[in-house]
Amino acid sequence: MSTGMYQSPMEVAVYQLHNFSISFFSSLLGGDVVSVKLDNSASGASVVAIDNKIEQAMDLVKNHLMYAVREEVEVLKEQIKELLEKNSQLERENSLLKTLASPEQLEKFQSRLPAEVLSPEEQSPGAAAPAQHSGGSAV
C-alpha cells in the first residue's frame, strides 16, 4: 500500500508504525505477517483483529517477564538461604574461638581492632562508645 494518500507526515508515521506493530507482534506470536489495509475504508473487524493480536502479544510478553522474575526470585531465595547458613556457621565458629582463647589472647586481638568493629559488649569499659547514628535502619 502506498503512503501517497496520506496528507500529513503524522498520518504517514502512524501508518508505518501500525504496519511495524503488526509485523512485530505477528512474529512474536509465531504467525504469518498479517496484511491489513489501513486506509479510510478499513473495517472495524480488522481493527478489532489487530487489537486482539496486540493484546495477545502483550500477554505473551507479560508471561515471559513474570516467568523470568519468578526464576530470579528463586535464585535469590537460594542465595539468601546459603548466606544465612554460612553466617550461622561463622557465628558458631566465632563463639567457639572466643571460648577457647585465653583472656590475654582476646585482649591482644581486641587491641588490634578499630573501635567501630567491636560490638558494645566486647568493648573494654575504658573504650569510647561509637557514635550513635540517627536515622533509619542499616538494612
Side-chain angles (χ1 to χ4, degrees):
M1 174 177 227
S2 164
T3 59
M5 65 185 215
Y6 298 106
Q7 284 80 25
S8 73
M10 179 62 89
E11 289 175 326
V12 172
V14 168
Y15 168 78
Q16 291 172 342
L17 180 62
H18 219 351
N19 280 341
F20 171 78
S21 298
I22 292 168
S23 61
F24 174 74
F25 286 125
S26 180
S27 67
L28 274 179
L29 295 172
D32 296 330
V33 175
V34 179
S35 177
V36 178
K37 292 184 178 182
L38 298 174
D39 57 16
N40 293 336
S41 65
S43 69
S46 66
V47 172
V48 170
I50 292 170
D51 288 344
N52 288 339
K53 290 286 186 182
I54 290 172
E55 188 173 334
Q56 288 174 357
M58 289 172 60
D59 287 342
L60 182 66
V61 170
K62 182 180 90 174
N63 288 338
H64 282 293
L65 287 173
M66 291 298 290
Y67 179 76
V69 167
R70 285 187 186 109
E71 279 186 346
E72 187 67 22
V73 165
E74 290 302 316
V75 168
L76 292 173
K77 282 181 179 179
E78 188 63 32
Q79 287 177 347
I80 289 169
K81 181 181 174 185
E82 290 170 5
L83 289 171
L84 287 172
E85 289 172 1
K86 183 167 180 109
N87 185 44
S88 177
Q89 176 190 354
L90 291 172
E91 285 177 349
R92 286 191 305 271
E93 288 178 17
N94 188 29
S95 176
L96 176 65
L97 290 172
K98 282 182 182 179
T99 58
L100 296 176
S102 68
E104 295 83 25
Q105 289 173 322
L106 282 174
E107 187 176 323
K108 185 178 179 182
F109 177 72
Q110 288 176 350
S111 68
R112 292 182 185 171
L113 295 176
E116 300 87 34
V117 176
L118 299 175
S119 64
E121 64 272 0
E122 293 173 335
Q123 291 182 358
S124 60
Q132 295 292 326
H133 296 286
S134 62
S137 71
V139 178

